[in-house]
Amino acid sequence: MTGQPLPEPAPSPTATDAGIPSTQRAARPRWRETLGLLARNPAAAVSGALLLLIVLVAVFDEALAPTGPNEISVEDRLQPPSLEHPFGTDDLGRDIFSRVILGAAVSLRVGFLAVAVALVIGSLIGLLAGFYGRWVDDVLMRIMDMLFAFPAVLLAIAVLAVRGPGSGNTALAIGIVYIPVFARVTRASVLGVREEVYVRASRSVGASDLRLLTRHVLPNAAPPIIVQTSISLAFAVLAEAALSFLGLGTQPPNPSWGLMLAEGRGFIDIAWWLAFFPGMAIFLTVLCFNLLGDGLRDVLDPRQRTLMAGGAR
Amino acid sequence: MSDVLVSARGLEVHFPVRSVGLRRTGGGVLRAVDGVDLDIHRGETVGLVGESGCGKSTLGNALLRLVPPTGGRITFDGSDVTALDRRGLKEMRRRAGMVFQDPFASLDPRRTVAQTVAEPLEVHKLRSGRRERAARVGELLEMVGLDPAVASRYPHEFSGGQRQRVGIARALAGEPDFLVCDEAIASLDVSVQAQVLNLLRRLQRQLGLTLLFISHDLSAVRHLSDRIAVMYLGRVVEVGPAATVASDPQMPYTQALLSAVPVPHPARERARQRIVLRGDVPSPSAVPSGCRFRTRCPYVFEPCPDVDPALQPAGAPGQLAACHLHGVVGIPVADDTPEGVTTTPTS
């Protein structure tokens, strides 16, 4: 305790007072501390680094790819991996290494875009439905149920049938399919947080609904949403593959991991590398998203944060 | 001290009880607060006692409109709380703070102590600028006996007593006139209870606060309060100066309640006569007709099932009790029409 004069001696601090060093420790900005803690989780750190690499590859794809995506070389058809073609070549003699690099941009863009659409719209709907309840909840969630009732692929096909194929519309279609998932996850989480005493406490000092939602309800309801986001990124990449396989997503000859996987399926018994490398790319990306999502969820929780920081100090 | 700051007249908070199943209609009504009359004067501390489930907390919440009242009137400093618009309600909530029961649940785990205590300042734009707000937060923390340096810490790093101090600092940040302490010491260790109790008393004197201290702890209430209000099944059944209510209760329920308090004196404790009530508290969704205490009252007589007793002067000056033993006043129970006022005493 500092020696500030008080009208009456401050009641003696309880036992745990001693455990709290009275130094200010908010010197480092919040996000730097978050990054620092994230780096302590090996799985999250490696995943983050790998994802950064994948994103960089996707951004600088044209510069990195040894050949163009659609350069056909008839005499090099179905070559196994070699020094010249690290990932081998496909049935038209196209370099799979180059196509995997160029496909990263397509797959990631669709994945991010789709999840962004689902996250923003779905979470907003779930937030409002969960917080206000009553008829707002009834109306919004019944609409979500209607969306949910359609089989995912059928709904995506319907959207693409209306809007026409292409990677932008694929992202939109996948995003729409995932809106009810985010709405449900968010609503369930909000329903729990809404009844917390600290929300009522905040209301008791005059906070507006907007303030309650943005400062208290959303941050405390976020962990399941973060996990859902990382899982959905993975599923969106796979869904793009499925739609491309059906001929509705990325249009050949443009490369996307899903489309390459689908095209390679026919050659799986004579040329495994056609499907293997794009498959590995999807697998690694999805795994990294999940591990990073888990790490992020832990780091964003102040209670976990203290445990982690305490363990290292 | 005759200046009334907060007043409730015939206040009702009824909750619909949903029947299980798809249909949301049907089911009964839970009368958590059922016709409460209570005046709280400026600068005084009113202790509100009663057993669990009698509607004490609901009443406290309703006074700040944290639970919407379904009937009756609440006035705060002369203005009708039930009719306030958004802006009026916000200002009212600045002038009336609340300290909650569970200090582990009432602080947002994701916000630092500084963020929590500064919330009223931000909401009501009381201090402009980051630095001035931080200074005010430090001031408030000191006021409740915490080191201002803990401002950047998270609630989970504190003990229950310290958290409750943070909760009190938040409630005081808006410079309120009125503070509702809803079982504010109930979930603390006994040793810490006394500290928080003394803190509340000190703050009350220092800041000239008007306090509604809700508790089931009769000794704490007697220690802190100027006046005591006793609640039973959603109604204030006795109210009066703390000393006289505690020493000479006029309502049989209060007598029974007080007889349950142990006396810290061996000889007197042995001589203490306990009044043990029959049966359980009736469900607040099936309140008995007439006097709601008649199902357990040892003195029950003819008018009790037929006339709902109103608060009337009884015992010492300023003491009111809702009991027919002091004269039959109240609202007769009619078979069909529940309304039908005959005599209503001035309280």
Side-chain angles (χ1 to χ4, degrees):
Chain A
M1 310 295 284
T2 52
Q4 297 288 339
L6 283 169
E8 183 187 310
S12 67
T14 40
T16 45
D17 243 353
I20 299 169
S22 53
T23 45
Q24 208 84 16
R25 54 144 210 195
R28 276 203 296 174
R30 196 66 199 279
W31 65 270
R32 293 240 341 238
E33 202 184 325
T34 305
L35 271 186
L37 286 173
L38 202 57
R40 292 221 183 91
N41 176 345
V46 171
S47 306
L50 213 57
L51 272 182
L52 193 67
L53 187 73
I54 293 170
V55 169
L56 283 177
V57 165
V59 171
F60 299 105
D61 53 352
E62 306 240 332
L64 288 168
T67 67
N70 301 321
E71 273 176 34
I72 295 170
S73 157
V74 185
E75 57 267 37
D76 289 337
R77 288 163 57 201
L78 294 174
Q79 291 295 308
S82 63
L83 278 179
E84 197 190 346
H85 302 289
F87 290 179
T89 60
D90 67 5
D91 54 320
L92 296 174
R94 296 176 294 194
D95 180 37
I96 293 182
F97 182 63
S98 302
R99 284 176 65 80
V100 166
I101 287 175
L102 292 157
V106 178
S107 288
L108 287 183
R109 194 170 58 226
V110 171
F112 280 126
L113 222 63
V115 172
V117 168
L119 176 69
V120 171
I121 301 177
S123 298
L124 187 67
I125 290 175
L127 192 63
L128 296 176
F131 187 73
Y132 287 105
R134 295 161 180 270
W135 66 268
V136 180
D137 188 25
D138 286 342
V139 170
L140 289 176
M141 293 322 285
R142 288 306 79 74
I143 295 173
M144 290 300 102
D145 286 347
M146 270 152 58
L147 271 183
F148 234 154
F150 288 103
V153 175
L154 193 67
L155 181 58
I157 290 173
V159 173
L160 286 172
V162 174
R163 310 256 323 164
S167 64
N169 287 338
T170 310
L172 184 70
I174 298 169
I176 290 175
V177 168
Y178 285 129
I179 284 174
V181 177
F182 277 90
R184 285 232 158 257
V185 168
T186 308
R187 174 180 174 272
S189 188
V190 167
L191 279 181
V193 174
R194 175 181 80 163
E195 302 299 332
E196 292 284 353
V197 183
Y198 54 75
V199 174
R200 191 151 45 95
S202 182
R203 181 170 274 148
S204 82
V205 300
S208 60
D209 283 0
L210 183 67
R211 190 183 174 91
L212 291 179
L213 283 169
T214 54
R215 304 287 174 94
H216 299 283
V217 176
L218 195 55
N220 281 289
I225 306 174
I226 293 172
V227 175
Q228 186 60 47
T229 305
S230 70
I231 294 172
S232 296
L233 275 168
F235 275 112
V237 171
L238 293 177
E240 192 270 341
L243 288 173
S244 299
F245 179 69
L246 292 173
L248 291 163
T250 310
Q251 296 300 301
N254 292 326
S256 93
W257 292 343
L259 187 60
M260 291 168 71
L261 189 66
E263 287 170 347
R265 191 191 55 116
F267 299 90
I268 198 87
D269 47 350
I270 53 165
W272 55 271
W273 54 91
L274 257 65
F276 178 80
F277 290 105
M280 276 309 281
I282 294 175
F283 165 72
L284 271 180
T285 310
V286 167
L287 184 68
C288 288
F289 276 135
N290 283 342
L291 291 176
L292 186 67
D294 279 357
L296 211 57
R297 181 199 52 195
D298 290 346
V299 162
L300 290 177
D301 183 343
R303 279 157 296 194
Q304 297 272 349
R305 218 177 155 109
T306 311
L307 287 180
M308 287 187 285
R313 268 173 203 182
Chain B
M1 284 255 292
S2 62
D3 188 7
V4 173
L5 181 65
V6 186
S7 148
R9 280 288 167 276
L11 184 63
E12 284 177 5
V13 182
H14 293 177
F15 297 106
V17 182
R18 270 182 201 168
S19 52
V20 185
L22 281 174
R23 287 188 312 136
R24 289 189 179 175
T25 50
V29 173
L30 189 140
R31 299 160 186 273
V33 175
D34 195 23
V36 161
D37 295 327
L38 185 65
D39 286 332
I40 301 170
H41 302 282
R42 213 178 281 276
E44 78 171 342
T45 300
V46 173
L48 186 62
V49 293
E51 55 202 303
S52 306
C54 70
K56 306 184 295 278
S57 291
T58 311
L59 174 60
N61 278 295
L63 289 179
L64 303 194
R65 238 176 84 180
L66 291 172
V67 175
T70 47
R73 261 169 62 94
I74 306 166
T75 51
F76 182 84
D77 203 10
S79 58
D80 186 352
V81 171
T82 40
L84 286 175
D85 60 357
R86 184 192 293 248
R87 184 179 288 180
L89 186 64
K90 189 173 157 186
E91 174 61 10
M92 194 277 280
R93 284 178 178 164
R94 181 189 72 72
R95 297 188 52 195
M98 183 138 178
V99 180
F100 295 85
Q101 171 171 4
D102 183 357
F104 289 85
S106 64
L107 304 178
D108 187 336
R110 283 173 193 273
R111 314 202 81 206
T112 62
V113 166
Q115 285 173 315
T116 295
V117 176
E119 182 152 52
L121 306 178
E122 289 170 22
V123 168
H124 301 289
K125 302 186 174 61
L126 292 180
R127 292 288 189 284
S128 52
R130 196 180 273 246
R131 188 162 297 172
E132 276 182 60
R133 268 207 295 272
R136 173 69 176 148
V137 167
E139 216 174 283
L140 285 160
L141 289 177
E142 245 168 51
M143 212 190 277
V144 298
L146 286 173
D147 185 343
V150 303
S152 59
R153 311 229 136 220
Y154 287 92
H156 67 267
E157 300 174 63
F158 294 89
S159 68
Q162 291 170 323
R163 283 161 170 247
Q164 199 57 297
R165 287 167 196 269
V166 174
I168 295 170
R170 167 178 56 194
L172 293 176
E175 294 163 44
D177 306 315
F178 179 50
L179 204 61
V180 176
C181 298
D182 182 6
E183 298 275 16
I185 60 164
S187 49
L188 302 176
D189 291 344
V190 178
S191 59
V192 183
Q193 283 187 353
Q195 293 174 5
V196 173
L197 210 57
N198 288 333
L199 171 69
L200 284 172
R201 190 154 68 168
R202 195 190 82 215
L203 290 169
Q204 194 261 331
R205 285 182 189 157
Q206 203 176 318
L207 305 171
L209 291 172
T210 304
L211 217 64
L212 178 65
F213 186 77
I214 302 171
S215 180
H216 60 259
D217 183 343
L218 283 163
S219 11
V221 166
R222 211 183 311 176
H223 176 70
L224 194 69
S225 312
D226 302 313
R227 288 197 306 143
I228 293 180
V230 181
M231 249 182 120
Y232 181 77
L233 214 55
R235 179 83 57 92
V236 170
V237 293
E238 178 157 7
V239 60
T244 57
V245 170
S247 61
D248 185 20
Q250 297 297 315
M251 161 86 195
Y253 175 64
T254 318
Q255 292 163 3
L257 201 63
L258 287 165
S259 80
V261 181
V263 183
H265 186 287
R268 268 186 278 156
E269 168 67 16
R270 245 174 276 129
R272 179 165 67 101
Q273 292 235 312
R274 282 212 60 188
I275 304 169
V276 180
L277 294 176
R278 294 171 288 149
D280 285 324
V281 190
S283 159
S285 48
V287 178
S289 69
C291 175
R292 55 197 60 222
F293 186 55
R294 69 177 165 86
T295 52
R296 304 172 73 196
C297 183
Y299 307 110
V300 64
F301 66 121
E302 298 85 48
C304 297
D306 301 324
V307 182
D308 192 356
L311 284 171
Q312 56 175 313
Q319 193 169 354
L320 302 171
C323 182
H324 293 318
L325 291 172
H326 303 281
V328 181
V329 254
I331 303 164
V333 178
D335 285 331
D336 298 310
T337 47
E339 309 295 328
V341 185
T342 49
T343 44
T344 33
T346 48
S347 51

